[in-house]
Amino acid sequence: MDSTIVQLYAPYKNILEKDMNRVLAISENELVKDKPESLLTNFLADLLLEQGAVVANDQQLDLTPDVSFFNYGGIRSALPKGEITVGNIFELMPFENEMVLLELKGDKMQAFLDYIADHGGGSVGGVEMIISGDKATDVKIGGQKIDFNKTYWLVTNDYVAAGGDGLEMLAENEQFINSGEKIRDAIIEYLEGVTNNNQHVDPKLDGRIK
């Protein structure tokens, strides 16, 4: 590499390395992904549901997400017990995925949850369900039995919203809103908020998928 380029790059490298080592929050436990639910998948789904509501409010979208979804394959690492750094979040989510909001009819939401069931569970928030065979049964959204005559708002990433990972039913939506917000930034903001509230990261298993 040309020495002048190295000289130009060096201060940015130092800033980047410093930011990557910045501690965002403290976790009570190591968070590892697993199915049907896990500390990591529950944590990510719940924070996405919460941050989705914040973004919708900030952008005056007049909606609140009912369900959240992180595609399992997109969760690339665990989060450590103790200090969680910016670098940890980049390892967890190396993609530039953006937060999107989809309005789905009740039958499409059921088809989506059947996909989750068929894959043995995953990272969903706002939902309780029982996997029976390869189907989602006894589905509750926000504590209420799923209603096929209603529409629901799903917050997820732009990759799966376009039908990626075999989720073609998500492309059959009533409305599609791209927030323009990076999901990784939403995770970082959430963790900063946890620390600002003098709290630690401490998700629980709650039986949302049985």
Side-chain angles (χ1 to χ4, degrees):
M1 199 186 267
D2 188 298
S3 64
T4 54
I5 295 173
V6 172
Q7 284 173 332
L8 284 169
Y9 171 67
Y12 295 105
K13 182 171 181 284
N14 293 339
I15 291 164
L16 275 172
E17 284 179 354
K18 190 177 175 189
D19 195 55
M20 285 295 171
N21 293 325
R22 182 164 62 91
V23 176
L24 296 168
I26 305 295
S27 180
E28 295 287 340
N29 298 287
E30 184 184 18
L31 308 185
V32 180
K33 73 174 184 179
D34 199 4
K35 294 180 179 180
E37 64 169 331
S38 66
L39 295 180
L40 183 56
T41 52
N42 287 3
F43 171 69
L44 291 173
D46 290 348
L47 82 81
L48 185 59
L49 198 59
E50 196 170 307
Q51 292 296 103
V54 169
V55 167
N57 185 56
D58 287 349
Q59 298 188 6
Q60 300 177 325
L61 297 176
D62 194 28
L63 66 91
T64 304
D66 301 292
V67 179
S68 60
F69 174 62
F70 260 94
N71 53 315
Y72 196 78
I75 303 168
R76 290 303 171 104
S77 68
L79 288 176
K81 181 177 181 178
E83 295 181 347
I84 298 175
T85 64
V86 172
N88 292 140
I89 304 308
F90 271 78
E91 288 166 12
L92 175 81
M93 189 134 302
F95 314 105
E96 298 296 309
N97 290 124
E98 294 190 338
M99 183 193 297
V100 300
L101 296 142
L102 303 176
E103 188 181 20
L104 297 174
K105 284 184 174 170
D107 60 337
K108 294 287 183 278
M109 181 61 79
Q110 179 67 49
F112 160 68
L113 294 172
D114 285 341
Y115 168 96
I116 304 282
D118 190 39
H119 287 74
S123 183
V124 287
V127 174
E128 296 166 60
M129 58 187 253
I130 294 170
I131 299 174
S132 181
D134 57 359
K135 300 290 185 199
T137 63
D138 295 316
V139 174
K140 288 182 181 171
I141 296 175
Q144 302 291 317
K145 190 175 185 298
I146 191 169
D147 183 347
F148 292 160
N149 296 315
K150 273 182 69 172
T151 62
Y152 297 94
W153 283 96
L154 173 71
V155 57
T156 187
N157 65 59
D158 52 350
Y159 168 67
V160 295
D165 267 4
L167 284 153
E168 292 86 4
M169 80 292 290
L170 296 186
E172 299 175 46
N173 54 69
E174 304 303 298
Q175 283 190 75
F176 173 102
I177 300 169
N178 190 333
S179 72
E181 295 271 334
K182 294 244 186 315
I183 292 206
R184 187 170 53 227
D185 292 344
I187 298 171
I188 289 169
E189 277 173 32
Y190 178 86
L191 289 169
E192 288 172 337
V194 168
T195 297
N196 289 340
N197 289 327
N198 295 314
Q199 294 174 325
H200 287 179
V201 173
D202 193 18
K204 300 284 186 257
L205 300 178
D206 56 16
R208 67 186 65 184
I209 306 176
K210 295 189 176 106

